Amino acid sequence: MGLISPQEGALVGGVTRLIFDRPISDFSLRVNSVIVHTTAGGEGYMLDLNDLLPDVPIHIQVSYLVEGNLISEDLTVYKPRHDLGGMGATVIRDQAGTIIGTFFKFWLPQVNHVYVRGSFNDWQDTNRLDQLGSTGYWYGFSADARPGDDYRFFVYGQDGNSQEVSDPSARDTIKTRFNTEDAQDANAVIVDPSAFAWRHDEAFKEQRRDFSKHIIYQLHWGTFLRPGEGEGLPFETFVTGTTEEEKRASVRHKLQYVRNLGFTAIEPLPIHEANGNFNAGYDPSFFFAVESTYGSPEDLRLLVDEAHGIGLAVIFDSVINHLTKEESRSSFSQLFIKGWYTKENASWSNHMQWGGSDWGPDPDFDRAEIRNLLRDSVRMYFDEYHVDGIRFDATTTIPSHALKPMIAKLQQEYQGKGKYLISEHLTDDPFPYIVNDVGFNAVWYKPAWQAATYQVLGQMGQGNLQKLRQLFETNYAGNPSTAIKYLLGSHDEVWVSHGGQAAVSRFGGSSSFYARSKMRLAWALNVCLLGTPMLFMGTEAMTDISWHNYFGYNGNNDHTPNQGLDWMPPAESHGAQFQRMIKDINELRLNLGALRSANTDCKLVHFDEKNSIAAYKRWDYSGGVLLIVINLSDNQWEQREYQVYTDTPNSTWGEIFNSQAAGYGGWAGSGNADSSFYPQADGSRRLQGINLPKWSLMILKQQF
């Protein structure tokens, strides 16, 4: 005798009914010590647990007579959880790790019935979901549903209408059943995250958790490292190969390119299933599903795992503030769902603030159920993809009554686990609200790009020193890592579909010496500033080609000769020279604590407004003292005659970096790299004359 329970020992999800394995008679049943049944059993008995509280252990005791002997058996089961991880399809395993079925959960009020139809039940109404009181939640268990099966919910409305709808919480989608590109007709696919074998969860853990040291490389996993030469090259997904080892090797090959440049974190553009087959991810159709054109959920987990294996932290980009404007392709715009999941003309709406030309419907942030669903989509990245951080897109269009409790809850749940929450908040001073009030760890600081592009580096003749100070000194509460600065632009600034252009083109194009000099100066400055530096993929190749989100840098799916981006240019090309400089300055930041210190360890010590030259001293408490000299002018000194204040009397200095060095595309003798030359500062803190090239950044290190 015993109890049949497909959820025995399961900690999440499960069935709502228990069935005895054979007919019995004269039995009594207790649930949590309360007698709930005493009668003859007949052919069996079904115990409905719908009215019991979720997420708590349920102790069941059954007693029955066998030949006059009283026999008692005990079992502990768990009600399905109705919060974290509950939405969508959850694969259930027993204590031995064996898959025993799938638990489904769906939210839709004021409908009569909901069934789950799928390949596991021949698309028939044989799996009816139960209702959780009047909450609008529907849930149930199927022992036949397995990973890889596709499914949809079939809804019977109170008005007699009925329709199949895609699961808004689908982890993956497939479009083969209806043979259409319309994402509304996409079937959800059951995914089992626990089946993935993580190899590198512990690799470089402490390094990945220290965001004060990170240098971020932003990439699009659909177009990153796309080949730039050759005719008729087919589209290649990020993960290639047939065996797991081949797939892992393909990922390592791509990511090693990033690591070799000295970056410590990658930030892929959104991976949501989005409108159309090729996209940037900012036009989501589903909030949980992975863009199937570029890879599967397993491919994405491979990407994260292999990144961790070579020391790269991973930050995912989450877009929960709007859906695709193509409503027929939105999981939130389906019949029955639209009026419950979205809200028209909300005060926080992107349509109100941004005109609505790019974005689709707004989620209804006034509904707790929708807020919880969106929070679960963020949790999914931490729990199912093991990422180190999440960047929230355009938080200026998420109302504070939804954003604040969401971030507070996430910070509480992942406290001490090294997770990082980043906001894109497009205001002039986002720090007090986003960091202090809401609780984000960092914020994209777009005013830094605007100042760098149009005032500091975009000027003819001389740059603006006051704007340089804004670049250098802006951070929040003494914690520079809260300010993520991207002086050469993020995806938005180089995205041709948004009117963007390649960074070097803004300064005059790669054929211009001045433009190349300003590119080198911009990244060197970005690394030396207070803040966390970030670079968008391809910028390091000194390309004039604006990024096209659909097919790569040349805007075509099939490449034609010499139109695409050359990611690995010839050794003495402008691109290769810039890549060398990026690698060297990135490694300096990783190795020198003075380039990562707090704002209290950074001081403006030289301000020559006439010549547009400034110098900052940065230091740590391990003996590292640096002098960063910035020349924002066409003036240059070649006879060791320029004098700069150091704020350190009677000190000796040596050059360790010069953005105009010959190996980076500058010229020999432009700096002070003579191995016998160590300029001295006198008692008045003035450094003896040094060379100072035009449009350059130079780092001198104090010698002890």
Side-chain angles (χ1 to χ4, degrees):
M1 176 59 192
L3 296 173
I4 293 178
S5 173
Q7 64 169 13
E8 180 176 354
L11 295 179
V12 60
V15 298
T16 59
R17 296 179 175 91
L18 301 173
I19 303 174
F20 301 158
D21 65 352
R22 63 182 175 84
I24 59 175
S25 60
D26 298 327
F27 75 94
S28 68
L29 181 66
R30 293 174 180 264
V31 177
N32 293 344
S33 300
V34 177
I35 296 178
V36 296
H37 185 80
T38 304
T39 185
E43 294 299 319
Y45 181 82
M46 183 174 289
L47 172 65
D48 194 334
L49 302 177
N50 281 338
D51 294 331
L52 300 179
L53 291 174
D55 234 1
V56 296
I58 302 169
H59 305 289
I60 298 175
Q61 182 185 67
V62 60
S63 301
Y64 53 94
L65 292 174
V66 176
E67 297 179 353
N69 297 316
L70 181 64
I71 298 176
S72 295
E73 295 191 12
D74 297 287
L75 180 68
T76 299
V77 295
Y78 294 82
K79 270 284 288 185
R81 295 182 69 177
H82 297 287
D83 51 3
L84 174 61
M87 298 301 293
T90 303
V91 174
I92 306 302
R93 294 173 179 266
D94 62 18
Q95 288 178 315
T98 303
I99 294 176
I100 53 180
T102 301
F103 171 68
F104 297 92
K105 185 180 176 187
F106 175 56
W107 182 76
L108 191 60
Q110 297 184 17
V111 295
N112 280 346
H113 307 295
V114 177
Y115 290 83
V116 58
R117 294 176 173 178
S119 55
F120 52 89
N121 63 11
D122 199 28
W123 302 96
Q124 301 299 310
D125 284 349
T126 57
N127 289 87
R128 179 172 170 173
L129 301 185
D130 295 312
Q131 218 178 153
L132 183 64
S134 59
T135 64
Y137 285 103
W138 301 83
Y139 62 103
F141 176 84
S142 171
D144 299 317
R146 290 291 190 271
D149 289 339
D150 54 328
Y151 69 95
R152 289 161 66 84
F153 294 121
F154 197 85
V155 179
Y156 290 87
Q158 294 178 338
D159 57 1
N161 290 328
S162 61
Q163 186 186 10
E164 280 186 314
V165 298
S166 301
D167 182 0
S169 301
R171 265 42 173 194
D172 198 12
T173 60
I174 190 171
K175 303 173 184 177
T176 56
R177 180 177 180 227
F178 294 95
N179 193 26
T180 176
E181 293 184 357
D182 193 331
Q184 182 182 4
D185 287 335
N187 295 342
V189 179
I190 300 172
V191 175
D192 181 18
S194 65
F196 184 80
W198 294 92
R199 297 183 184 179
H200 306 300
D201 252 8
E202 299 300 315
F204 303 97
K205 177 182 284 188
E206 296 308 314
Q207 173 183 307
R208 290 190 281 115
R209 288 183 172 187
D210 188 353
F211 271 77
S212 69
K213 296 181 180 179
H214 280 315
I215 309 172
I216 301 172
Y217 186 89
Q218 190 190 26
L219 60 85
H220 177 241
W221 75 315
T223 53
F224 174 59
L225 280 187
R226 288 285 303 279
E229 296 182 354
E231 292 191 52
L233 289 172
F235 176 77
E236 179 181 288
T237 56
F238 197 99
V239 182
T240 60
T242 55
T243 68
E244 181 178 353
E245 293 309 319
E246 288 173 344
K247 291 179 178 180
R248 285 184 177 273
S250 73
V251 174
R252 283 195 302 274
H253 170 73
K254 292 179 173 68
L255 295 178
Q256 195 61 54
Y257 169 88
V258 178
R259 195 70 186 91
N260 289 344
L261 287 172
F263 291 91
T264 65
I266 58 171
E267 184 174 326
L269 272 64
I271 54 83
H272 308 280
E273 183 74 70
N275 176 24
N277 284 332
F278 298 91
N279 54 76
Y282 292 98
D283 201 20
S285 297
F286 290 81
F287 288 124
F288 291 77
V290 171
E291 174 52 57
S292 52
T293 305
Y294 301 136
S296 67
E298 182 182 78
D299 291 338
L300 195 58
R301 279 184 261 276
L302 273 172
L303 190 159
V304 176
D305 200 32
E306 289 301 320
H308 288 169
I310 62 172
L312 289 171
V314 182
I315 304 164
F316 272 7
D317 200 333
S318 178
V319 182
I320 60 171
N321 54 326
H322 71 283
L323 289 111
T324 173
K325 63 182 178 182
E326 299 292 338
E327 292 196 31
S328 64
R329 300 184 179 183
S330 167
S331 60
F332 275 25
S333 298
Q334 302 169 90
L335 182 65
F336 289 117
I337 287 182
K338 182 176 180 180
W340 293 101
Y341 279 65
T342 58
K343 183 163 187 156
E344 299 290 337
N345 301 319
S347 59
W348 64 79
S349 171
N350 60 79
H351 301 282
M352 297 292 188
Q353 298 185 43
W354 293 34
S357 59
D358 292 328
W359 294 354
D362 304 290
D364 190 349
F365 288 108
D366 281 341
R367 294 190 189 276
E369 295 84 1
I370 302 305
R371 295 196 300 269
N372 291 340
L373 181 143
L374 295 174
R375 188 178 69 219
D376 284 354
S377 73
V378 175
R379 283 177 169 138
M380 177 190 69
Y381 292 147
F382 286 143
D383 298 339
E384 299 180 18
Y385 289 95
H386 295 202
V387 299
D388 304 282
I390 295 173
R391 178 256 194 193
F392 285 67
D393 182 62
T395 53
T396 40
T397 60
I398 302 178
S400 60
H401 70 265
L403 188 62
K404 285 185 176 182
M406 177 185 294
I407 299 306
K409 183 69 172 176
L410 290 170
Q411 292 287 21
Q412 177 187 19
E413 291 173 347
Y414 296 99
Q415 186 175 19
K417 296 182 180 179
K419 305 300 183 182
Y420 214 66
L421 300 179
I422 300 169
S423 163
E424 180 198 33
H425 203 75
L426 301 177
T427 61
D428 290 339
D429 185 11
F431 300 100
Y433 171 68
I434 281 296
V435 177
N436 192 37
D437 293 349
V438 180
F440 277 96
N441 301 100
V443 58
W444 275 23
Y445 188 57
K446 187 169 184 175
W449 171 79
Q450 294 167 325
T453 301
Y454 299 112
Q455 282 88 30
V456 176
L457 300 174
Q459 305 298 305
M460 296 300 294
Q462 293 190 176
N464 186 318
L465 281 191
Q466 294 298 336
K467 287 295 182 179
L468 175 69
R469 294 193 64 176
Q470 174 187 333
L471 286 183
F472 217 106
E473 300 171 22
T474 299
N475 71 102
Y476 182 75
N479 182 2
S481 65
T482 60
I484 295 177
K485 299 175 183 176
Y486 40 99
L487 303 194
L488 290 174
S490 69
H491 67 282
D492 274 327
E493 287 70 44
V494 303
W495 188 358
V496 67
S497 298
H498 278 197
Q501 63 183 122
V504 70
S505 298
R506 294 183 184 274
F507 300 132
S510 62
S511 62
S512 164
F513 167 82
Y514 283 96
R516 298 194 303 273
S517 297
K518 291 179 179 183
M519 287 284 285
R520 294 192 294 271
L521 173 53
W523 184 249
L525 187 60
N526 211 155
V527 170
C528 293
L529 295 174
L530 292 168
T532 299
M534 185 179 78
L535 187 76
F536 182 69
M537 69 173 198
T539 305
E540 71 276 6
M542 198 73 82
T543 180
D544 292 288
I545 307 171
S546 301
W547 176 65
H548 191 294
N549 63 300
Y550 294 103
F551 307 115
Y553 267 89
N554 69 348
N556 298 304
N557 191 27
D558 294 325
H559 291 286
T560 52
N562 304 315
Q563 286 190 354
L565 176 65
D566 191 352
W567 295 84
M568 300 177 187
E572 297 310 313
S573 65
H574 300 320
Q577 291 171 336
F578 190 36
Q579 288 174 334
R580 281 198 293 273
M581 194 217 79
I582 289 172
K583 174 181 171 63
D584 288 348
I585 191 75
N586 286 358
E587 289 183 351
L588 279 179
R589 188 176 189 272
L590 296 178
N591 295 326
L592 298 175
L595 289 177
R596 307 187 305 269
S597 57
N599 65 314
T600 54
D601 304 325
C602 177
K603 182 179 181 181
L604 177 66
V605 296
H606 183 86
F607 195 80
D608 179 356
E609 196 159 17
K610 176 183 177 182
N611 291 304
S612 283
I613 297 169
Y616 281 87
K617 186 172 78 169
R618 296 199 66 176
W619 64 95
D620 58 22
Y621 293 93
S622 300
V625 182
L626 303 177
L627 187 67
I628 301 165
V629 186
I630 304 128
N631 182 0
L632 301 178
S633 75
D634 292 334
N635 303 317
Q636 63 185 39
W637 290 262
E638 299 174 305
Q639 304 299 320
R640 293 180 178 171
E641 72 268 35
Y642 190 82
Q643 293 182 311
V644 59
Y645 283 96
T646 68
D647 194 48
T648 308
N650 305 313
S651 53
T652 302
W653 301 80
E655 180 187 295
I656 61 172
F657 177 83
N658 169 20
S659 67
Q660 291 286 35
Y664 304 149
W667 64 96
S670 62
N672 308 276
D674 187 334
S675 60
S676 64
F677 180 54
Y678 290 91
Q680 308 284 318
D682 58 21
S684 65
R685 302 179 177 85
R686 186 191 298 268
L687 195 66
Q688 71 181 79
I690 60 172
N691 289 346
L692 186 58
K694 57 188 173 184
W695 293 103
S696 68
L697 183 146
M698 184 178 298
I699 303 177
L700 304 174
K701 184 178 181 182
Q702 186 175 356
Q703 307 296 301
F704 292 98

